[in-house]
Amino acid sequence: MKKISILILLVCISLSGYSTEGDWGKTGHRATAEIAENHLNKKAKKAIDEILNGHGLAFVANYADDIKSDRDFRQYGPWHYVNIDPDEETYIAANANKEGDLVQAIRKCVAVLKDDTSTKKEKEFYLKMLVHFVGDLHQPFHTGHSEDKGGNDIQVRWFNDGSNIHRVWDSEMIEFYQMSYTELAINTKNLTPAEIKTIQNGKLLEWVYESRAMAEDLYSGVENGDKLGYRYMYEHMPTVLDQLQKGGLRLAKILNDIYS
Ligand code: ADE
Ligand code: ZN
Ligand code: ZN
């Protein structure tokens, strides 16, 4: 009887697609996409409207996760993160993961969208991927260490449940906050045009290093077995919100540049 119960449980878990390796949860990715949508210029809006057949960016923000477990799309698995280990100073293209990473992914998406010879289908696929990946870039643990799979192997308790520090940053804090993606997008910090410009300035690799520096800081504040709850939440939720906003502003910048 016990064996059958365990078997049923395992089947349920595998059917539910449960995984310890997620991304900003669905809400986080949609919030970033919605913030980007609110900062698109007219040209970008029009081009994107055509590519996505009227759907907004938030609508497609989780496509890259939805296809993850499909064997036909397995090759895109490593595109969701970039690991620069502590003993490395910078991202060096020659040492980069041959199977792709977040940097190569974003560059590929931009190249396809800029290329006049790309088909509409290609543009649609890579636009959806881009919306997702710029979100991932702003989840610090997506630029973490390979040895612990970006924090996925650092087990913690989140209130009374088992979790890991990557997942706390992907989704646990955002879910605990209980705001919809539109509420998150509306309740962003008021920024002056100059502040927005400062956030949008810079190159992709500078954004990677910024995220990676944050990851280093967060690594030093957590240990395997830690019990995290309200204190972790109020200390770090402001950073989560800032990252969602930065991701949105920078996604808008990338898209506005493509269609300028
Ligand atoms: N998700 C799965 N593997 C990862 C890794 N090595 N770094 C960051 N995120 C990941
Ligand atoms: Zn993740
Ligand atoms: Zn992802």
Side-chain angles (χ1 to χ4, degrees):
M1 187 61 196
K2 204 171 164 195
K3 270 190 186 156
I4 292 174
S5 309
I6 292 172
L7 195 66
I8 291 171
L9 183 69
L10 290 176
V11 169
C12 288
I13 287 173
S14 68
L15 288 178
S16 72
Y18 176 83
S19 157
T20 54
E21 298 175 8
D23 297 302
W24 272 147
K26 284 192 190 306
T27 307
H29 277 288
R30 287 191 182 127
T32 287
E34 185 72 5
I35 293 163
E37 183 94 39
N38 295 339
H39 287 84
L40 291 177
N41 64 31
K42 268 204 181 128
K43 265 185 162 173
K45 241 188 190 85
K46 186 166 179 289
I48 290 166
D49 199 53
E50 274 169 31
I51 294 172
L52 298 181
N53 293 317
H55 289 309
L57 296 180
F59 189 81
V60 301
N62 292 297
Y63 173 76
D65 272 347
D66 296 341
I67 61 173
K68 236 178 179 176
S69 52
D70 188 325
R71 212 170 280 139
D72 293 346
F73 296 103
R74 218 25 63 98
Q75 69 195 95
Y76 302 107
W79 289 32
H80 293 252
Y81 54 89
V82 55
N83 298 128
I84 307 172
D85 287 316
D87 57 340
E88 291 168 46
E89 276 296 304
T90 49
Y91 177 89
I92 299 164
N95 300 343
N97 188 345
K98 301 276 177 290
E99 290 176 9
D101 59 34
L102 202 38
V103 172
Q104 298 169 63
I106 291 175
R107 287 181 176 157
K108 169 75 181 176
C109 293
V110 171
V112 171
L113 292 171
K114 273 187 169 169
D115 186 347
D116 291 337
T117 67
S118 301
T119 64
K120 176 158 187 284
K121 233 183 157 64
E122 286 168 331
K123 285 182 184 171
E124 182 185 345
F125 178 79
Y126 285 99
L127 174 57
K128 289 164 156 179
M129 300 296 264
L130 178 65
V131 173
H132 181 89
F133 292 144
V134 177
D136 277 347
L137 175 61
H138 290 79
Q139 202 286 52
F141 283 101
H142 277 244
T143 62
H145 307 158
S146 57
E147 61 178 26
D148 53 39
K149 298 203 195 73
N152 272 297
D153 290 343
I154 301 178
Q155 305 299 322
V156 299
R157 290 203 77 73
W158 178 249
F159 291 89
N160 290 317
D161 297 327
S163 189
N164 65 67
I165 196 61
H166 185 110
R167 198 154 106 207
V168 166
W169 277 81
D170 265 352
S171 52
E172 308 275 28
M173 285 192 279
I174 296 176
E175 276 169 26
F176 191 82
Y177 207 58
Q178 293 207 335
M179 270 198 179
S180 68
Y181 79 87
T182 41
E183 288 167 335
L184 288 168
I186 290 168
N187 284 286
T188 49
K189 226 189 236 169
N190 269 337
L191 297 173
T192 64
E195 285 169 329
I196 291 177
K197 210 165 173 189
T198 303
I199 288 170
Q200 291 178 327
N201 266 342
K203 295 205 161 72
L204 177 59
L205 282 183
E206 289 167 339
W207 301 342
V208 172
Y209 298 145
E210 177 192 84
S211 199
R212 188 225 189 194
M214 295 179 75
E216 289 305 330
D217 207 37
L218 297 171
Y219 270 116
S220 67
V222 68
E223 274 181 31
N224 213 40
D226 275 357
K227 191 171 183 328
L228 309 179
Y230 285 109
R231 173 190 276 269
Y232 200 82
M233 187 71 198
Y234 73 67
E235 282 183 351
H236 295 286
M237 193 62 199
T239 310
V240 172
L241 297 173
D242 280 352
Q243 289 303 98
L244 296 177
Q245 185 172 18
K246 266 193 262 172
L249 292 173
R250 288 171 178 168
L251 174 59
K253 166 78 162 60
I254 292 172
L255 293 168
N256 287 339
D257 284 353
I258 290 173
Y259 301 108
S260 62

Coordinates of all heavy atoms in Angstrom, one line a residue, residues 17-26 29 61-82 102 125 129 132-133 136 139 141-142 149 152 166-167 170:
G17 N 5.1 18.6 -13.7 CA 6.2 19.4 -14.2 C 7.0 20.1 -13.2 O 7.8 20.9 -13.4
Y18 N 6.8 19.6 -11.9 CA 7.5 20.2 -10.8 C 9.0 20.1 -11.0 O 9.6 19.1 -11.4 CB 7.1 19.5 -9.5 CG 7.9 19.9 -8.3 CD1 7.4 21.0 -7.6 CD2 9.0 19.3 -7.9 CE1 8.1 21.5 -6.5 CE2 9.7 19.7 -6.8 CZ 9.3 20.8 -6.1 OH 9.9 21.3 -5.0
S19 N 9.7 21.2 -10.8 CA 11.1 21.2 -11.0 C 11.8 22.1 -9.9 O 11.2 23.1 -9.5 CB 11.4 21.7 -12.4 OG 12.7 22.2 -12.4
T20 N 13.0 21.8 -9.5 CA 13.7 22.6 -8.6 C 14.4 23.8 -9.3 O 14.9 24.7 -8.7 CB 14.7 21.9 -7.8 OG1 15.6 21.2 -8.7 CG2 14.1 20.9 -6.8
E21 N 14.4 23.7 -10.6 CA 15.1 24.7 -11.4 C 14.1 25.5 -12.2 O 13.8 25.2 -13.3 CB 16.1 24.0 -12.3 CG 17.2 23.2 -11.5 CD 18.1 22.5 -12.5 OE1 18.0 22.7 -13.7 OE2 18.9 21.7 -11.9
G22 N 13.6 26.6 -11.6 CA 12.7 27.4 -12.3 C 13.4 28.7 -12.7 O 14.5 28.8 -12.9
D23 N 12.6 29.7 -12.9 CA 13.1 31.1 -13.3 C 12.2 32.0 -12.4 O 11.4 31.6 -11.7 CB 12.8 31.3 -14.7 CG 13.7 30.4 -15.6 OD1 14.9 30.4 -15.4 OD2 13.1 29.7 -16.4
W24 N 12.5 33.4 -12.6 CA 11.5 34.3 -12.0 C 10.2 33.6 -12.2 O 10.0 33.2 -13.3 CB 11.5 35.6 -12.7 CG 12.4 36.7 -12.5 CD1 12.8 37.6 -13.5 CD2 12.9 37.3 -11.3 NE1 13.5 38.6 -13.0 CE2 13.6 38.5 -11.6 CE3 12.8 36.9 -9.9 CZ2 14.2 39.3 -10.7 CZ3 13.4 37.7 -9.0 CH2 14.1 38.9 -9.4
G25 N 9.4 33.4 -11.2 CA 8.1 32.7 -11.5 C 7.4 33.4 -12.6 O 7.8 34.4 -13.1
K26 N 6.2 32.9 -12.9 CA 5.4 33.4 -14.0 C 5.1 34.9 -13.7 O 5.2 35.7 -14.6 CB 4.1 32.7 -14.1 CG 4.3 31.3 -14.8 CD 2.9 30.8 -15.2 CE 3.0 29.3 -15.6 NZ 3.9 29.0 -16.7
H29 N 8.2 37.3 -14.4 CA 8.5 37.5 -15.8 C 7.4 38.4 -16.4 O 7.7 39.2 -17.3 CB 8.5 36.1 -16.5 CG 9.9 35.5 -16.4 ND1 11.0 36.0 -17.1 CD2 10.3 34.4 -15.7 CE1 12.0 35.2 -16.8 NE2 11.7 34.3 -15.9
A61 N 5.7 36.1 -22.0 CA 6.9 36.2 -21.1 C 7.4 34.8 -20.6 O 8.5 34.7 -20.2 CB 6.7 37.1 -20.0
N62 N 6.5 33.8 -20.5 CA 6.9 32.6 -20.0 C 7.0 31.4 -21.0 O 7.2 30.3 -20.6 CB 5.9 32.2 -18.9 CG 6.0 33.1 -17.7 OD1 7.0 33.2 -17.0 ND2 4.9 33.9 -17.4
Y63 N 6.9 31.8 -22.3 CA 7.0 30.8 -23.3 C 8.3 30.0 -23.2 O 8.3 28.8 -23.3 CB 7.0 31.5 -24.7 CG 7.2 30.6 -25.9 CD1 6.2 29.7 -26.3 CD2 8.4 30.7 -26.5 CE1 6.5 28.9 -27.4 CE2 8.7 29.8 -27.6 CZ 7.7 29.0 -28.1 OH 7.9 28.1 -29.1
A64 N 9.4 30.7 -22.9 CA 10.7 30.0 -22.9 C 10.8 28.9 -21.8 O 11.5 27.9 -21.9 CB 11.9 31.0 -22.7
D65 N 10.0 29.1 -20.7 CA 9.9 28.1 -19.6 C 8.9 27.0 -20.1 O 9.1 25.9 -19.8 CB 9.4 28.8 -18.3 CG 10.5 29.3 -17.5 OD1 11.7 29.0 -17.8 OD2 10.2 30.1 -16.6
D66 N 7.8 27.4 -20.7 CA 6.8 26.4 -21.1 C 7.4 25.4 -22.0 O 7.0 24.2 -22.0 CB 5.6 27.1 -21.8 CG 4.9 28.1 -20.9 OD1 5.1 27.9 -19.7 OD2 4.2 29.0 -21.4
I67 N 8.4 25.7 -22.9 CA 8.9 24.8 -23.8 C 10.1 24.0 -23.3 O 10.6 23.1 -23.9 CB 9.4 25.5 -25.1 CG1 10.5 26.5 -24.9 CG2 8.2 26.1 -25.9 CD1 11.2 27.0 -26.1
K68 N 10.5 24.3 -22.0 CA 11.7 23.8 -21.5 C 11.8 22.2 -21.4 O 12.8 21.6 -21.6 CB 11.9 24.3 -20.0 CG 13.2 25.0 -19.8 CD 13.2 25.6 -18.4 CE 14.5 26.2 -18.0 NZ 14.4 26.8 -16.7
S69 N 10.6 21.7 -21.0 CA 10.6 20.2 -20.8 C 10.4 19.5 -22.1 O 10.4 18.2 -22.1 CB 9.6 19.8 -19.7 OG 8.4 20.4 -20.0
D70 N 10.1 20.2 -23.2 CA 9.9 19.5 -24.4 C 11.2 19.1 -25.1 O 12.1 20.0 -25.2 CB 9.1 20.5 -25.4 CG 8.6 19.9 -26.6 OD1 9.4 19.0 -27.2 OD2 7.6 20.3 -27.1
R71 N 11.3 17.8 -25.4 CA 12.6 17.3 -26.0 C 13.0 18.1 -27.2 O 14.2 18.4 -27.4 CB 12.4 15.9 -26.3 CG 13.7 15.1 -26.2 CD 13.5 13.6 -26.3 NE 13.0 13.0 -25.1 CZ 12.0 12.0 -25.1 NH1 11.5 11.6 -26.2 NH2 11.6 11.5 -24.0
D72 N 12.1 18.6 -28.0 CA 12.4 19.3 -29.2 C 13.1 20.6 -28.9 O 13.8 21.2 -29.8 CB 11.2 19.6 -30.0 CG 10.6 18.3 -30.6 OD1 11.3 17.3 -30.6 OD2 9.4 18.4 -31.0
F73 N 13.0 21.1 -27.7 CA 13.5 22.4 -27.3 C 14.6 22.3 -26.3 O 15.0 23.3 -25.7 CB 12.4 23.4 -26.8 CG 11.4 23.7 -27.9 CD1 10.1 23.1 -27.9 CD2 11.7 24.7 -28.9 CE1 9.2 23.5 -28.8 CE2 10.7 25.0 -29.8 CZ 9.5 24.4 -29.8
R74 N 15.1 21.1 -26.1 CA 16.1 20.8 -25.0 C 17.3 21.8 -25.2 O 17.9 22.2 -24.2 CB 16.5 19.4 -25.2 CG 16.9 18.4 -24.2 CD 16.5 18.2 -22.8 NE 15.2 18.0 -22.4 CZ 14.6 16.8 -22.1 NH1 15.3 15.7 -22.3 NH2 13.4 16.7 -21.7
Q75 N 17.7 22.0 -26.4 CA 18.9 22.8 -26.7 C 18.9 24.2 -26.0 O 20.0 24.8 -25.8 CB 19.1 22.9 -28.2 CG 18.1 23.9 -28.8 CD 18.1 23.7 -30.3 OE1 17.3 23.0 -30.9 NE2 19.0 24.5 -31.0
Y76 N 17.7 24.7 -25.7 CA 17.6 26.0 -25.2 C 17.7 26.1 -23.6 O 17.7 27.1 -23.0 CB 16.3 26.7 -25.6 CG 16.2 26.8 -27.1 CD1 15.3 26.0 -27.8 CD2 17.0 27.6 -27.9 CE1 15.2 26.0 -29.2 CE2 16.9 27.7 -29.2 CZ 16.0 26.8 -29.9 OH 15.9 26.9 -31.2
G77 N 17.9 24.9 -23.0 CA 18.0 24.8 -21.5 C 19.1 25.7 -21.0 O 18.8 26.5 -20.1
P78 N 20.3 25.6 -21.5 CA 21.4 26.4 -20.9 C 21.3 27.9 -21.2 O 22.1 28.7 -20.7 CB 22.7 25.9 -21.5 CG 22.3 24.6 -22.2 CD 20.8 24.7 -22.5
W79 N 20.4 28.3 -22.1 CA 20.2 29.7 -22.4 C 19.6 30.6 -21.3 O 19.7 31.8 -21.4 CB 19.3 29.9 -23.7 CG 19.9 29.4 -24.9 CD1 20.8 28.3 -25.1 CD2 19.6 29.9 -26.3 NE1 21.1 28.2 -26.4 CE2 20.4 29.1 -27.2 CE3 18.8 30.9 -26.8 CZ2 20.4 29.3 -28.5 CZ3 18.8 31.1 -28.1 CH2 19.6 30.3 -29.0
H80 N 19.1 29.9 -20.3 CA 18.4 30.7 -19.2 C 19.4 31.3 -18.2 O 18.9 32.0 -17.3 CB 17.4 29.8 -18.5 CG 16.2 29.4 -19.4 ND1 15.0 29.9 -19.2 CD2 16.2 28.6 -20.4 CE1 14.2 29.4 -20.1 NE2 14.8 28.6 -20.8
Y81 N 20.7 30.9 -18.2 CA 21.6 31.4 -17.2 C 23.0 31.5 -17.7 O 23.3 31.0 -18.8 CB 21.6 30.4 -16.0 CG 21.8 29.0 -16.3 CD1 23.1 28.5 -16.4 CD2 20.8 28.1 -16.6 CE1 23.4 27.2 -16.7 CE2 21.0 26.8 -17.0 CZ 22.4 26.3 -17.0 OH 22.6 25.0 -17.3
V82 N 23.8 32.2 -17.0 CA 25.2 32.3 -17.3 C 26.0 32.2 -16.0 O 25.8 33.0 -15.1 CB 25.6 33.6 -18.1 CG1 25.2 34.9 -17.4 CG2 27.1 33.6 -18.5
L102 N 23.1 32.7 -21.2 CA 22.2 33.8 -21.3 C 22.7 35.0 -22.2 O 21.9 35.6 -22.9 CB 22.0 34.3 -19.8 CG 20.8 35.2 -19.4 CD1 19.5 34.8 -20.1 CD2 20.6 35.1 -17.9
F125 N 9.4 33.6 -32.5 CA 10.1 32.8 -31.5 C 11.1 33.5 -30.7 O 11.2 33.5 -29.5 CB 10.7 31.6 -32.3 CG 11.5 30.6 -31.4 CD1 10.8 29.7 -30.7 CD2 12.9 30.7 -31.3 CE1 11.5 28.8 -29.8 CE2 13.6 29.8 -30.5 CZ 12.9 28.9 -29.7
M129 N 11.5 34.6 -26.7 CA 12.6 34.2 -25.9 C 13.3 35.4 -25.3 O 13.7 35.3 -24.1 CB 13.6 33.4 -26.8 CG 13.1 32.1 -27.4 SD 12.6 30.9 -26.2 CE 14.0 29.8 -26.2
H132 N 11.7 36.8 -22.1 CA 12.0 36.0 -21.0 C 13.4 36.1 -20.5 O 13.6 36.3 -19.3 CB 11.7 34.5 -21.4 CG 11.9 33.6 -20.2 ND1 10.9 33.2 -19.3 CD2 13.0 32.9 -19.9 CE1 11.4 32.4 -18.4 NE2 12.7 32.2 -18.7
F133 N 14.3 36.1 -21.4 CA 15.8 36.0 -21.0 C 16.2 37.3 -20.3 O 17.0 37.3 -19.4 CB 16.7 35.7 -22.2 CG 16.5 34.3 -22.7 CD1 16.6 34.1 -24.1 CD2 16.3 33.3 -21.9 CE1 16.4 32.8 -24.6 CE2 16.1 32.0 -22.3 CZ 16.2 31.7 -23.7
D136 N 15.3 36.9 -16.8 CA 16.2 35.9 -16.2 C 17.5 36.7 -15.8 O 18.0 36.4 -14.7 CB 16.6 34.8 -17.1 CG 15.5 33.7 -17.0 OD1 14.6 33.7 -16.1 OD2 15.6 32.8 -17.9
Q139 N 17.5 38.2 -12.4 CA 17.4 37.3 -11.2 C 18.8 37.0 -10.9 O 19.4 36.2 -11.6 CB 16.5 36.1 -11.5 CG 15.9 35.4 -10.3 CD 16.9 34.6 -9.5 OE1 17.9 35.1 -9.0 NE2 16.5 33.3 -9.2
F141 N 20.6 35.0 -9.2 CA 21.1 33.7 -9.2 C 21.2 33.0 -10.6 O 21.7 32.0 -10.7 CB 20.3 32.8 -8.2 CG 20.7 33.1 -6.8 CD1 19.9 33.9 -5.9 CD2 21.9 32.5 -6.2 CE1 20.3 34.1 -4.6 CE2 22.3 32.8 -4.9 CZ 21.5 33.6 -4.1
H142 N 20.6 33.7 -11.6 CA 20.8 33.2 -12.9 C 22.2 33.6 -13.5 O 22.5 33.3 -14.6 CB 19.7 33.8 -13.8 CG 18.5 32.9 -13.8 ND1 17.9 32.2 -14.8 CD2 17.7 32.6 -12.7 CE1 16.9 31.5 -14.4 NE2 16.7 31.8 -13.1
K149 N 24.7 25.1 -9.2 CA 23.7 25.4 -10.2 C 22.9 26.7 -9.9 O 21.7 26.7 -9.8 CB 22.7 24.2 -10.3 CG 23.3 22.9 -10.7 CD 22.2 22.0 -11.3 CE 22.6 20.6 -11.4 NZ 22.7 19.9 -10.1
N152 N 20.6 26.5 -6.9 CA 19.6 25.5 -6.8 C 20.0 24.4 -5.8 O 19.1 23.7 -5.3 CB 19.4 24.8 -8.2 CG 18.4 25.6 -9.0 OD1 17.2 25.6 -8.7 ND2 18.8 26.2 -10.2
H166 N 17.9 29.6 -4.9 CA 17.5 30.0 -6.2 C 16.0 30.2 -6.3 O 15.5 31.2 -6.8 CB 18.0 28.9 -7.2 CG 17.8 29.3 -8.7 ND1 18.9 29.7 -9.5 CD2 16.7 29.5 -9.4 CE1 18.4 30.0 -10.7 NE2 17.0 29.9 -10.6
R167 N 15.3 29.2 -5.8 CA 13.8 29.2 -5.9 C 13.2 30.4 -5.1 O 12.2 31.0 -5.4 CB 13.3 27.9 -5.5 CG 11.8 27.7 -6.0 CD 11.5 26.3 -6.1 NE 10.7 25.8 -5.0 CZ 10.6 24.6 -4.5 NH1 11.4 23.7 -5.0 NH2 9.8 24.3 -3.6
D170 N 13.6 33.1 -7.4 CA 12.8 33.0 -8.6 C 11.3 33.3 -8.3 O 10.7 34.1 -9.0 CB 12.8 31.5 -9.1 CG 13.8 31.2 -10.1 OD1 14.4 32.2 -10.7 OD2 14.0 30.1 -10.5

